[in-house]
Amino acid sequence: MSLSRSDLEAGNAQTRLLEASHSGIKLTTLSEDELQRSLHKILQHQLPNSDIWIFAYGSLIWNPLITYVERRAGIIYGWHRRFCTWMILGRGTPENPGLLLGLDRGGSCRGIVYRIAAADVASELLLIWRREMLAGVYVARWVRIFDGTQEFKAIAFVANRQHPRYAHQVTLTTTVNSIATASGKLGSCADYLLKTVDGLIAEGIKDRKLLLLRKQVLAKQQALLINGGSTETTNYE
């Protein structure tokens, strides 16, 4: 099942996470009040009644779920796209956690930016906050976007390096195995990767590392099929 706008409007993303309590998984999530305070804090750096840009580098590209008035490609510097967050529910399990994309320090990243009209900022950003900020694995921050003709500010969600599920040093073998085999309530990690690659290509963006990773993940899945579908589990810290 895919995350939907109605899930976010009803706050069901939080419900999904809390459902894990029956199996003894301890997850810390932000309350609605905490999400609102976090949102208010970042908006203090923006002029009142103005449009807001959001930078997308993963699932927000192919499943934005928000109302926006403009969409364009752009690049940020000082951050790069990386599978750097362990996921134990949405696209993984405690026994075989998946990996989720985040923005990690260094390099650059091409993605998509959405402009949200001032009149929609309060409602649309709350939906994004419920989606991206609930579990604390991301930190919202302002970044500089370059679209080839101009520079402007946008909100991006970068990896929280202090979070227990931040994947600091993960081998390529572990990354490939995790993405090739992990799945959860929102689907598989492999599907997440493939849709992200396809979404980037549709926008004229070719991420060489993701293209290579896609090739390796598909080869791993093919090898598992040949070997009878056995999977390997991945431990994380």
Side-chain angles (χ1 to χ4, degrees), residues 39-51:
L39 179 53
H40 176 72
K41 182 178 180 180
I42 201 163
L43 289 180
Q44 288 179 331
H45 301 281
Q46 181 74 1
L47 292 174
N49 301 316
S50 60
D51 296 355

Side-chain angles (χ1 to χ4, degrees), residues 24-99:
I25 303 170
K26 184 178 180 181
L27 291 176
T28 301
T29 59
L30 298 183
S31 67
E32 194 75 1
D33 285 344
E34 289 172 322
L35 289 173
Q36 289 278 10
R37 287 197 294 271
S38 170
L39 179 53
H40 176 72
K41 182 178 180 180
I42 201 163
L43 289 180
Q44 288 179 331
H45 301 281
Q46 181 74 1
L47 292 174
N49 301 316
S50 60
D51 296 355
I52 296 286
W53 290 90
I54 296 290
F55 181 70
Y57 55 89
S59 64
L60 279 172
I61 294 175
W62 46 268
N63 190 28
L65 303 179
I66 56 171
T67 298
Y68 55 90
V69 294
E70 186 179 355
R71 170 190 176 118
R72 65 173 80 165
I75 185 171
I76 62 174
Y77 294 96
W79 303 93
H80 68 283
R81 181 174 24 240
R82 185 170 81 85
F83 279 93
C84 58
T85 299
W86 291 113
M87 196 173 193
I88 60 175
L89 289 178
R91 293 185 184 272
T93 64
E95 296 75 25
N96 189 25
L99 278 168

Side-chain angles (χ1 to χ4, degrees), residues 188-203:
S188 69
C189 273
D191 183 61
Y192 173 85
L193 168 63
L194 297 179
K195 286 182 177 177
T196 299
V197 171
D198 289 344
L200 289 169
I201 291 175
E203 300 292 341

